[in-house]
Amino acid sequence: MAKINFGGTEENVVTREEFPLDKAREVLKDEVIAVIGYGVQGPGQALNLKDNGFNVIIGQRKESKTWDKAVADGWEPGKTLFPIEEALDKGTIIQYLLSDAGQISVWPTVQKYLKPGKALYFSHGFGVTYKDRTGIIPPSDVDVILVAPKGSGTSLRRMFLEGRGLNSSYAIFQDATGKAKERVVALGIGVGSGYLFETTFQKEVYSDLTGERGTLMGAIQGIFAAQYEVLRSNGHSPSEAFNETVEELTQSLMPLVAENGMDWMYANCSTTAQRGALDWWKKFRDATLPVFSDLYSEVAKGNEAQRSIDSNSQSDYRVKLEAELKELRESEMWRAGAAVRTLRPENDK
């Protein structure tokens, strides 16, 4: 295990160099990896594992859209695609990749198939961390492990096909067999991680829920909407407001940040842009810090988890979700964005 200095703090990481794919295959050569759920993370992880030479099967409800998607992706009913209970029975490693609400619903079924020595694998610490709310309490004689790719299953698959890797965290909640460490690291390499860094189930879910509600999704949409509104209210056209709020950031500036850091992006912009950014970033930090502190507190108390459980367990959740997404999609800002995207040179037919 390598030690890497992250901003002055040394952390343990696992790289592909020290734990190559051949080693991962050797560790898992006698395992049957049953991926339960084929929605967000399931396809990317399962296909990457399959392409990397592991023994993978899918467990999914028959006569569902996700069953049909699995068939379209090349999984064969009766050979590599099975009803959930049959896959649970066959698997020695159960990759539990249903949604958080789905995990709560299916847990009584999963429990029946967690025989001694099996491994229960998560990509989110939600179910186990909030066990008092979810009822997900694994038996003591199975390994309980986590690999959490830092991105969507779609990104994980795309980067794998490009020969790249999405970084992932890993955690061990329970080591019943003495093999949990090598199992989880091998799986992390197998799903296509660029490198793996240590965490705990609790820290993974606290940081993940904060990030999703914060800079990764919630806060960024809020900031976009606020700046767009100010520009429009001061007479700027929709195309100009969108370009100065979203398009320039996503297409030009964030790739520079990803490549070599924020300071490097600043250094590659005009002196006027540099001065403004350096003068204003701390004001935005100070303005948003109380909101982020409140957000983290709500996550740690379990209130965000309960809101998610209550909302996502409703029978009409999908209908309400689509209405909320429609509100975003049909807002002037994102309708302007749709028009801007058609004008990108790569989209010129």
Side-chain angles (χ1 to χ4, degrees):
M1 185 176 295
K3 282 190 177 293
I4 305 294
N5 188 307
F6 290 92
T9 299
E10 281 199 341
E11 298 183 34
N12 294 321
V13 301
V14 180
T15 67
R16 295 177 180 181
E17 287 72 26
E18 62 183 299
F19 206 105
L21 188 56
D22 285 344
K23 183 176 180 180
R25 291 193 192 105
E26 178 64 25
V27 168
L28 301 178
K29 65 181 180 181
D30 297 323
E31 306 275 15
V32 177
I33 303 167
V35 176
I36 308 301
Y38 206 73
V40 177
Q41 280 290 334
Q45 293 198 34
L47 290 167
N48 290 0
L49 284 164
K50 177 185 176 184
D51 288 352
N52 273 334
F54 296 91
N55 186 7
V56 187
I57 61 175
I58 305 297
Q60 188 55 51
R61 291 189 305 274
K62 277 189 170 183
E63 299 178 0
S64 66
K65 291 182 179 178
T66 42
W67 176 280
D68 294 340
K69 174 175 171 50
V71 172
D73 284 348
W75 303 97
E76 298 183 58
K79 293 184 178 180
T80 55
L81 175 60
F82 301 93
I84 289 176
E85 292 203 37
E86 193 171 347
L88 288 167
D89 187 44
K90 292 177 180 293
T92 59
I93 296 174
I94 308 301
Q95 289 198 226
Y96 202 25
L97 300 182
L98 293 168
S99 67
D100 294 322
Q103 287 184 11
I104 295 170
S105 175
V106 179
W107 178 245
T109 300
V110 173
Q111 276 185 297
K112 296 186 297 184
Y113 294 93
L114 292 177
K115 306 303 181 187
K118 287 193 175 188
L120 179 62
Y121 167 113
F122 294 86
S123 282
H124 193 22
F126 190 101
V128 170
T129 299
Y130 299 115
K131 58 184 180 296
D132 293 342
R133 300 169 186 267
T134 65
I136 296 177
I137 303 175
S140 61
D141 52 7
V142 301
D143 292 342
V144 183
I145 55 181
L146 173 147
V147 173
K150 298 298 104 180
S152 70
T154 300
S155 298
L156 182 72
R157 182 61 177 166
R158 285 179 179 173
M159 293 176 76
F160 176 85
L161 293 174
E162 293 168 358
R164 302 161 63 202
L166 193 63
N167 302 328
S168 302
S169 60
Y170 77 93
I172 300 168
F173 181 79
Q174 189 168 278
D175 184 3
T177 66
K179 301 187 298 181
K181 179 68 174 294
E182 63 178 12
R183 272 173 151 175
V184 72
V185 172
L187 287 161
I189 297 298
V191 300
S193 302
Y195 75 84
L196 297 157
F197 63 92
E198 287 183 303
T199 188
T200 66
F201 272 60
Q202 184 186 81
K203 287 180 179 177
E204 188 283 327
V205 73
Y206 282 15
S207 61
D208 194 62
L209 293 184
T210 300
E212 290 166 349
R213 286 148 181 77
T215 59
L216 301 179
M217 297 173 68
I220 195 68
Q221 165 61 19
I223 290 171
F224 283 165
Q227 178 169 303
Y228 183 89
E229 183 177 330
V230 167
L231 290 173
R232 289 289 288 125
S233 67
N234 283 279
H236 297 270
S237 68
S239 62
E240 184 170 59
F242 186 85
N243 272 286
E244 292 296 340
T245 299
V246 180
E247 189 76 352
E248 185 174 349
L249 176 69
T250 59
Q251 298 301 297
S252 173
L253 301 182
M254 289 314 293
L256 297 181
V257 177
E259 185 178 336
N260 215 19
M262 186 68 76
D263 64 310
W264 193 76
M265 184 269 275
Y266 281 11
N268 282 275
C269 292
S270 71
T271 55
T272 302
Q274 292 167 4
R275 185 70 269 141
L278 290 167
D279 286 347
W280 278 87
W281 79 263
K282 291 179 182 177
K283 294 181 182 180
F284 282 105
R285 177 200 62 191
D286 294 344
T288 58
L289 186 58
V291 180
F292 281 102
S293 295
D294 181 51
L295 167 58
Y296 193 88
S297 176
E298 288 295 290
V299 169
K301 290 175 184 175
N303 293 339
E304 281 300 304
Q306 193 60 54
R307 272 191 281 272
S308 178
I309 291 168
D310 292 344
S311 173
N312 299 350
S313 298
Q314 293 177 11
S315 60
D316 61 348
Y317 165 70
R318 289 289 173 187
V319 175
K320 291 179 178 177
L321 172 64
E322 179 51 36
E324 290 180 286
L325 294 178
K326 182 180 179 182
E327 180 185 356
L328 278 179
R329 186 169 59 248
E330 295 187 354
S331 68
E332 183 190 271
M333 181 173 71
W334 289 112
R335 284 188 289 117
V340 168
R341 288 193 296 275
T342 65
L343 297 173
R344 292 176 188 164
E346 66 268 25
N347 293 330
D348 187 21
K349 300 298 185 182

